[in-house]
Amino acid sequence: KQEVTQIPAALSVPEGENLVLNCSFTDSAIYNLQWFRQDPGKGLTSLLLIQSSQREQTSGRLNASLDKSSGRSTLYIAASQPGDSATYLCAVRYGNKLVFGAGTILRVKS
Amino acid sequence: EAGVAQSPRYKIIEKRQSVAFWCNPISGHATLYWYQQILGQGPKLLIQFQNNGVVDDSQLPKDRFSAERLKGVDSTLKIQPAKLEDSAVYLCASSAVSGRTGELFFGEGSRLTVL
């Protein structure tokens, strides 16, 4: 069964700290992996998309890595800000199917 | 570029009533998805369209849920009759590329409360 797990479920950090969110998947035969941000009461905003042939993608203070062989991806957020507070979801594509994790709720304290 | 549009944003109904949600994808996006997100969980795919054809509806409860995408553009998702466990956010997403490599773009969602 294709499952996606995100650890931790919730994280609270002081402003300015660098942090890592983890995503693991059971089936390594993926096409791509996408990280999303979801603010309360809102839809999902795409942050980064990593194709299966890539090892990492960067956008501003965000860096996502992919290790297919170990079934893991990490989202690194540098110099966190209160505005980064949100739920972060990873989604793994298997063929036509996108499987989501339950998300990590991030709170950055000022 | 306009994003994915969804309406209504909020809907409250009583169980056994019916409800319909509407989605207009990003212009030119051939693939359209409907997801159900229950509080505290990740989104779960209900149905995926490629143009106006169904690619995957394996997790759609077909005894009460139906969806259509006429003319390969906008789409409606209907629930009839609604149950308490249908309370969730219904998210529409679209992508330009079919299935496997495309980046998904989501709308704001339609929050359904069934009393």
Side-chain angles (χ1 to χ4, degrees):
Chain A
K1 185 179 177 183
Q2 294 158 338
E3 294 181 341
V4 178
T5 303
Q6 292 188 247
I7 295 173
L11 181 64
S12 182
V13 300
E15 181 178 5
E17 192 162 298
N18 301 325
L19 58 99
V20 174
L21 306 180
N22 296 292
C23 173
S24 61
F25 44 94
T26 54
D27 184 348
S28 61
I30 74 171
Y31 280 88
N32 61 42
L33 184 147
Q34 195 167 353
W35 282 93
F36 294 90
R37 168 186 174 139
Q38 186 173 32
D39 293 287
K42 301 287 188 179
L44 280 66
T45 300
S46 178
L47 297 174
L48 291 164
L49 171 69
I50 311 177
Q51 301 294 348
S52 62
S53 58
Q54 298 175 321
R55 296 299 294 263
E56 66 177 344
Q57 282 284 342
T58 299
S59 175
R61 294 183 294 108
L62 305 179
N63 175 277
S65 68
L66 174 64
D67 184 344
K68 276 177 40 178
S69 61
S70 66
R72 292 185 179 185
S73 175
T74 61
L75 179 66
Y76 175 83
I77 302 177
S80 58
Q81 303 170 359
D84 294 330
S85 298
T87 298
Y88 291 81
L89 294 144
C90 77
V92 179
R93 180 170 292 284
Y94 297 102
N96 287 318
K97 189 176 173 184
L98 196 65
V99 180
F100 280 84
T104 294
I105 302 171
L106 173 64
R107 181 184 169 214
V108 181
K109 298 172 289 186
S110 57
Chain B
E1 178 182 84
V4 177
Q6 290 189 246
S7 67
R9 288 292 317 280
Y10 306 94
K11 190 73 176 179
I12 300 173
I13 62 173
E14 296 193 348
K15 60 182 178 183
R16 291 188 289 274
Q17 288 187 323
S18 62
V19 62
F21 301 113
W22 174 84
C23 171
N24 187 256
I26 293 172
S27 178
H29 280 197
T31 308
L32 185 148
Y33 310 78
W34 282 103
Y35 284 87
Q36 179 193 59
Q37 187 177 25
I38 293 172
L39 188 64
Q41 299 181 17
K44 182 186 85 172
L45 178 69
L46 292 175
I47 190 166
Q48 177 184 341
F49 292 95
Q50 175 68 20
N51 295 310
N52 59 349
V54 175
V55 174
D56 184 353
D57 64 356
S58 57
Q59 297 190 86
L60 186 74
K62 298 181 184 65
D63 57 335
R64 299 183 300 105
F65 285 65
S66 65
E68 61 182 9
R69 189 183 185 197
L70 300 176
K71 301 179 182 177
V73 181
D74 55 357
S75 175
T76 55
L77 176 70
K78 296 179 182 177
I79 307 173
Q80 182 179 11
K83 292 185 175 181
L84 296 177
E85 59 261 36
D86 298 332
S87 293
V89 176
Y90 292 85
L91 296 163
C92 180
S94 69
S95 67
V97 179
S98 170
R100 298 173 182 182
T101 57
E103 184 175 7
L104 262 68
F105 297 90
F106 280 81
E108 296 270 281
S110 294
R111 181 177 298 274
L112 173 65
T113 301
V114 182
L115 303 175

